[in-house]
Amino acid sequence: MAEKHEKGIKRYGVRYGRTTKKKLGHIEAQQKKAHTCPYCRYPKVSRKSAGIWHCGKCKSTFTSRAYNVTKPGAVKTEQSLEV
Ligand SMILES: [Zn+2]
């Protein structure tokens, strides 16, 4: 039975191995969902490119982690290097 976040990774077919794709699926699921803006708290933030995020509510463009948005100050150096 396929898990939820394995859905989007079917495009890779049998390539790259199971674990790699599973990890990617998890990251992509995080990246695509609506993120909450650290400035106006409105869940209207979309990802422009790696680490660049844009809020459709207050129109601010800001940097955060590459695949998800964390609150300012909550980012540890080790964490941001992990992904
Ligand atoms: Zn905002």
Side-chain angles (χ1 to χ4, degrees):
M1 207 167 84
E3 282 175 49
K4 243 190 252 167
H5 51 249
E6 283 181 344
K7 251 186 180 175
I9 57 176
K10 289 230 168 107
R11 66 181 187 271
Y12 294 113
V14 294
R15 285 165 290 163
Y16 311 122
R18 184 177 173 269
T19 312
T20 315
K21 283 189 286 185
K22 207 173 175 180
K23 274 186 187 170
L24 180 78
H26 184 70
I27 289 166
E28 284 196 336
Q30 277 198 314
Q31 159 190 335
K32 281 168 189 166
K33 74 180 181 189
H35 293 277
T36 308
C37 176
Y39 301 105
C40 66
R41 307 268 162 212
Y42 208 81
K44 263 210 142 185
V45 174
S46 58
R47 183 180 179 265
K48 292 196 84 145
S49 65
I52 315 288
W53 299 84
H54 179 75
C55 175
K57 177 78 175 169
C58 66
K59 310 285 180 216
S60 63
T61 306
F62 55 95
T63 56
S64 191
R65 295 181 66 185
Y67 303 108
N68 59 34
V69 179
T70 42
K71 284 170 197 166
V75 182
K76 284 180 191 166
T77 322
E78 307 101 76
Q79 276 186 336
S80 44
L81 290 171
E82 243 173 39
V83 186

